[in-house]
Amino acid sequence: MTQLDHQIHSMGPEVMGTRIFKLAAFLYGITAYLVFFVTILYAIGFVMGVMVPKTIDTGTDTPPVEAVLINLLLMSLFAVQHSVMARKQFKAWWTQFVPKPVERSTYVLFASLSLLLLFWQWRPLPAIIWNVENHDLAVTLVTLSFAGWILVFTSTYLINHFELFGLHQVTNHLIGKEMAPPRFKTPLLYNFVRHPIYLGFIVAFWAAPTMTGGHLLFAAVTTLYIFVGIALEEHDLVALFGDEYRDYKQRVSMLIPWRRSL
């Protein structure tokens, strides 16, 4: 075992309980959250093609086959990172090296960095798949896309936005407060669909007045990943909440609000 390994493994409660570590963990969590916030704002501009220097339809001209392969690799990197680091087994191993109070913040930071890499290296595929020329319909689609992003943000706040992105954990650690055990709840929108966050992303990605080949590739692959992510997430939720979540699945639809809980 190297000296660094020894230092990592020796970071027990006596170290994590020190004031300087608590402050460092809090500042780290704030930094990770700010990186996430900048990333998600850039994602809106990237997908919608507004107010950012590089969008889904701009960048290095690349032969179509090469562009598709590079883009698929970038999206796969994000998908693997995002899914693997969220699994219970990975967390059990990961927290041997990363202190538990900053585990969620580290996950958020890595996800943000992988997205920023995708935005930076994305290759455009400018072929037009469809283009809505009717002004009113085009405006409606843009409005619908914005509504999708609003649904994403609103849904995160309904289930504790700050815990989802790691701030709650580092704040509680700073003030010496234990995290409450996970509790199953279905606030507002979660009584209509089980995954309003994912629904918001799908709407935001597909509601485009001009759909290029690159945008279509991004929307299709991310939608496929969303369904894979839902399967993995619901497997974990059933393991955590048991019959309570199984009953919820029976009462409330996954993405399309065609049935409601009683």
Side-chain angles (χ1 to χ4, degrees):
M1 180 180 290
T2 66
Q3 183 179 358
L4 178 59
D5 290 333
H6 177 74
Q7 290 173 346
I8 290 173
H9 284 283
S10 65
M11 188 175 289
E14 68 280 359
V15 175
M16 290 191 289
T18 62
R19 183 177 301 178
I20 190 167
F21 177 84
K22 288 182 176 182
L23 181 58
F26 179 74
L27 294 176
Y28 175 78
I30 292 289
T31 301
Y33 180 81
L34 290 176
V35 173
F36 150 75
F37 197 74
V38 169
T39 301
I40 196 68
L41 290 180
Y42 196 101
I44 296 172
F46 179 80
V47 172
M48 300 190 70
V50 294
M51 299 181 68
V52 293
K54 186 176 185 298
T55 73
I56 203 167
D57 295 321
T58 62
T60 305
D61 290 333
T62 309
V65 174
E66 182 181 340
V68 169
L69 290 175
I70 291 173
N71 293 342
L72 286 175
L73 180 61
L74 291 167
M75 287 187 285
S76 297
L77 177 64
F78 170 76
V80 170
Q81 176 275 320
H82 196 258
S83 293
V84 171
M85 289 188 71
R87 305 280 67 79
K88 183 179 180 180
Q89 298 87 339
F90 182 89
K91 290 180 181 180
W93 171 81
W94 184 235
T95 48
Q96 297 178 75
F97 310 99
V98 175
K100 192 171 182 179
V102 298
E103 182 273 328
R104 187 67 185 183
S105 293
T106 303
Y107 171 76
V108 169
L109 180 61
F110 278 34
S112 300
L113 293 176
S114 64
L115 274 179
L116 290 173
L117 175 64
L118 184 150
F119 301 152
W120 174 39
Q121 290 298 322
W122 181 265
R123 302 297 196 268
L125 292 161
I128 301 296
I129 307 302
W130 72 67
N131 183 46
V132 176
E133 297 184 355
N134 181 280
H135 178 266
D136 291 339
L137 182 55
V139 170
T140 299
L141 287 172
V142 171
T143 303
L144 188 60
S145 183
F146 270 119
W149 290 110
I150 292 171
L151 177 59
V152 169
F153 279 102
T154 301
S155 301
T156 65
Y157 280 100
L158 289 176
I159 58 171
N160 196 334
H161 173 90
F162 298 109
E163 182 176 347
L164 189 63
F165 296 106
L167 282 181
H168 195 180
Q169 291 86 330
V170 294
T171 300
N172 276 7
H173 184 62
L174 178 67
I175 63 177
K177 182 180 178 182
E178 291 289 330
M179 288 291 296
R183 183 172 59 89
F184 182 68
K185 56 183 179 178
T186 57
L188 295 177
L189 298 174
Y190 289 84
N191 285 306
F192 294 90
V193 292
R194 301 197 301 274
H195 301 281
I197 295 175
Y198 292 140
L199 175 60
F201 278 125
I202 291 172
V203 171
F205 295 159
W206 284 97
T210 300
M211 180 66 75
T212 62
H215 195 150
L216 179 63
L217 177 68
F218 181 86
V221 173
T222 51
T223 299
L224 176 62
Y225 170 64
I226 281 172
F227 282 100
V228 173
I230 286 174
L232 293 171
E233 183 177 316
E234 293 204 327
H235 177 271
D236 291 345
L237 289 169
V238 168
L240 182 61
F241 296 111
D243 289 338
E244 193 172 17
Y245 194 82
R246 292 189 187 95
D247 179 64
Y248 178 59
K249 287 180 67 176
Q250 292 296 317
R251 293 184 291 107
V252 179
S253 60
M254 184 170 66
L255 289 171
I256 301 175
W258 62 273
R259 57 183 176 177
R260 289 186 57 185
S261 60
L262 300 177

